[in-house]
Amino acid sequence: MVWVMAHGDEGSSQRPGMIPPLFQATAQDDESVAQMVALLEEQDAMLPARRLRDWAIEKAAVQPGDHVVDLGSGTGTMSRELARMVALFTPAEGPRGWVTGIEPNARLRAIAASRAKAAGVSNVSFVEGFAGALPFDDSSIDLVWCERVLQHLTNSQSAINDIARVLRPGGRAVLLDSDYGTRIVSDLDPDLAAAFSRASLGPIANPYAARHIPAQVHAAGLELEPAVGSSAFVFSSEMLLRTRVLRRAPTMPSNLAGSLAMSLTQPYARSMTLPSADWLSLR
């Protein structure tokens, strides 16, 4: 995925004492990369994610021969799926469809390329890039797929403006993202849940990304499809405990953090629910 760096943020540095974002363009150590891959794969396996993707694919009318950009391609799961959909099997059918995955993290690009090769998907490539500075000419792209990226950007309007720039007339953009203001932690003391929610928003660059998309799309000069796909991502206690999700609350007092971790280890199940929305924009 494209995280942390919108155009103009490339030279920023992490302030001392702050917890760095979970997804980092520059992270190359094995532990960080393994953590990013694990979380991406957890999300890929979720049925709500599948339902949202199916809705978006249908609404976006992905066609053979399309030139598609997967903005924030991560390990390339959606890039491979889209590449299969746009592929044309004989030269007589027309220009070959192609997918370009934009991914700033070199280790994730390498994983994506390796998985595409292993799957026999040849009409896809993975290149370095940043949201807000896409390496494409104006009006040259049929479809931009942007999934769970805007929440990680300090300037999501710039990213959407640049998506509008590269879309050809009649092009489409799928913008799928979350609103952490609507997050629910089930069966947890209300005060503890509120403290966790407040504290954990700090490391997220754009925690209310989904609610801003309609206005940002209009500001970019795109037309918003009135139908909206939505779903709730449910993260189990087990997943929360074995990933770094619970470490993303740097301002949460240690006693509350301990209470939260203890609550999540109780024998009955708890989960965190995060509603997500899927918007389709038209050029």
Side-chain angles (χ1 to χ4, degrees):
M1 289 189 163
V2 175
W3 309 286
V4 187
M5 296 184 183
H7 185 44
D9 292 343
E10 292 89 336
S12 63
S13 59
Q14 188 69 32
R15 293 194 298 273
M18 289 189 66
I19 293 181
L22 184 56
F23 293 104
Q24 300 179 71
T26 57
Q28 299 297 303
D29 62 283
D30 290 345
E31 181 183 0
S32 295
V33 172
Q35 189 69 44
M36 291 189 285
V37 171
L39 281 176
L40 289 172
E41 290 179 343
E42 289 274 4
Q43 293 171 355
D44 284 340
M46 289 181 171
L47 288 178
R50 183 67 267 167
R51 288 194 293 267
L52 275 179
R53 289 170 173 174
D54 289 344
W55 179 90
I57 287 169
E58 179 182 359
K59 286 292 182 180
V62 183
Q63 299 293 326
D66 277 351
H67 186 184
V68 179
V69 171
D70 182 9
L71 178 53
S73 51
T75 58
T77 299
M78 276 309 301
S79 297
R80 296 191 300 276
E81 181 171 345
L82 291 165
R84 293 186 181 100
M85 297 179 69
V86 303
L88 293 173
F89 298 103
T90 67
E93 293 179 278
R96 188 186 191 198
W98 193 270
V99 174
T100 305
I102 302 297
E103 172 54 55
N105 187 285
R107 292 280 301 274
L108 292 183
R109 285 200 307 276
I111 292 171
S114 176
R115 291 183 177 183
K117 182 178 180 180
V121 180
S122 59
N123 60 324
V124 62
S125 59
F126 299 94
V127 302
E128 182 179 17
F130 297 97
L134 297 175
F136 304 102
D137 294 335
D138 295 357
S139 304
S140 61
I141 303 298
D142 296 296
L143 171 67
V144 175
W145 187 278
C146 180
E147 182 176 348
R148 296 192 304 272
V149 171
L150 300 176
Q151 62 185 275
H152 301 290
L153 302 176
T154 58
N155 189 349
S156 54
Q157 183 67 66
S158 174
I160 294 175
N161 290 347
D162 205 44
I163 288 172
R165 177 187 66 80
V166 303
L167 284 177
R168 65 164 180 79
R172 296 88 68 206
V174 171
L175 307 175
L176 187 160
D177 229 296
S178 301
D179 186 328
Y180 285 81
T182 60
R183 176 173 52 193
I184 299 171
V185 182
S186 67
D187 194 29
L188 196 64
D189 175 80
D191 291 337
L192 182 58
F196 170 66
S197 293
R198 286 193 303 270
S200 60
L201 294 182
I204 303 171
N206 185 18
Y208 309 113
R211 72 178 67 178
H212 299 311
I213 288 175
Q216 292 177 328
V217 161
H218 286 296
L222 296 173
E223 177 185 347
L224 188 68
E225 165 66 41
V228 178
S230 63
S231 192
F233 286 29
V234 180
F235 299 90
S236 66
S237 297
E238 187 270 339
M239 178 186 175
L240 293 174
L241 288 168
R242 65 184 168 80
T243 65
R244 296 180 180 178
V245 172
L246 294 182
R247 304 181 196 177
R248 317 315 297 169
T251 61
M252 191 173 188
S254 58
N255 62 317
L256 290 180
S259 297
L260 177 63
M262 184 175 296
S263 296
L264 290 172
T265 60
Q266 297 302 312
Y268 46 90
R270 281 194 173 86
S271 63
M272 183 174 72
T273 302
L274 181 61
S276 295
D278 202 347
W279 307 89
L280 176 64
S281 301
L282 309 174
R283 184 61 171 157

